Amino acid sequence: MPEHLIKKPADLTSMEIKTILACWDIEPWTGIEDKDFIHKYRHSEFHFLTGVSATILCVARINFDFRIRVRHEIYPFAELVGFVSIEERNGNGKFFLHQIKTNMESRKIEALGCCEKAARGFYEKCRVPVLYGQAKYLRELPNDPFSVPADDDLFSLTLSDQHYKLLEGLNMNNLAWLLPESE
């Protein structure tokens, strides 16, 4: 049976970092050194689904440095990002997402994520509520290098009803501002 593991960046092996980077396949990060990776993601934890001989089947990152400002209030959330199933359509991704969700619930952590329209069906099959088109109401603060997600939707992994409604109520007159990551 697959096993769900959680690691802090400093506890990752070099091979795990290489696997994560290969899964994410983002050009500027392909040659990042381990120490730089560990520093860059120091406010995160990494979740793995492993199989036989600790083979990595799925990977995800929980970013604990995700904050938005709506009106004049700041809301810190955990953000599920970098969710990848190495082999698709075998049930591992659905099982893994359930494991992450259960873990976040048991720790009483409110978590959300962003996804492209094409991934909507996957989250819905996993019974994760999707807020259609709401990612477009996340904006970056002027002159800040923090990039805005290119995604279409937000999803609620473990948001409270109150925070789900807050995000559901975003619109052009009620934007959410992404705050830069902590130094």
Side-chain angles (χ1 to χ4, degrees):
M1 175 140 173
E3 184 178 1
H4 177 211
L5 302 174
I6 302 170
K7 289 189 167 189
K8 296 199 178 301
D11 298 330
L12 294 170
T13 67
S14 189
M15 184 53 73
E16 288 168 336
I17 291 171
K18 285 178 182 25
T19 300
I20 292 165
L21 292 171
C23 287
W24 289 351
D25 193 24
I26 298 174
E27 186 60 38
W29 298 342
T30 52
I32 191 171
E33 291 192 31
D34 292 357
K35 66 179 177 52
D36 296 327
F37 181 94
I38 290 165
H39 179 74
K40 180 173 182 59
Y41 297 112
R42 67 193 177 282
H43 299 294
S44 301
E45 66 185 21
F46 289 85
H47 291 243
F48 298 97
L49 185 67
T50 60
V52 178
S53 301
T55 303
I56 296 174
L57 305 172
C58 300
V59 64
R61 176 172 75 97
I62 300 292
N63 173 17
F64 290 105
D65 197 17
F66 184 84
R67 299 169 302 135
I68 62 172
R69 187 180 74 214
V70 179
R71 293 177 212 100
H72 298 289
E73 183 107 17
I74 296 174
Y75 298 90
F77 296 111
E79 176 195 26
L80 174 66
V81 290
F83 182 93
V84 177
S85 180
I86 301 208
E87 291 180 28
E88 295 181 6
R89 306 204 190 297
N90 62 7
N92 285 337
K94 186 175 180 180
F95 177 77
F96 185 46
L97 188 64
H98 176 74
Q99 294 293 307
I100 295 170
K101 180 177 172 150
T102 300
N103 178 270
M104 295 288 107
E105 288 170 341
S106 72
R107 293 163 56 192
K108 298 185 180 0
I109 296 172
E110 288 194 69
L112 58 74
C114 298
C115 69
E116 294 176 353
K117 189 176 184 178
R120 209 179 256 177
F122 168 76
Y123 291 102
E124 290 175 328
K125 284 179 190 172
C126 295
R127 297 189 174 159
V128 171
V130 177
L131 294 155
Y132 300 142
Q134 291 303 94
K136 68 184 170 202
Y137 301 120
L138 294 178
R139 300 294 168 91
E140 65 182 300
L141 292 170
N143 302 316
D144 185 75
F146 188 75
S147 62
V148 175
D151 298 301
D152 301 299
D153 304 325
L154 299 175
F155 61 84
S156 168
L157 192 61
T158 57
L159 292 176
S160 66
D161 289 342
Q162 174 189 357
H163 289 138
Y164 182 88
K165 287 176 184 164
L166 174 79
L167 296 175
E168 187 177 44
L170 297 176
N171 58 52
M172 287 306 293
N173 297 315
N174 185 33
L175 297 172
W177 296 91
L178 294 167
L179 300 178
E181 293 182 3
S182 303
E183 286 302 317

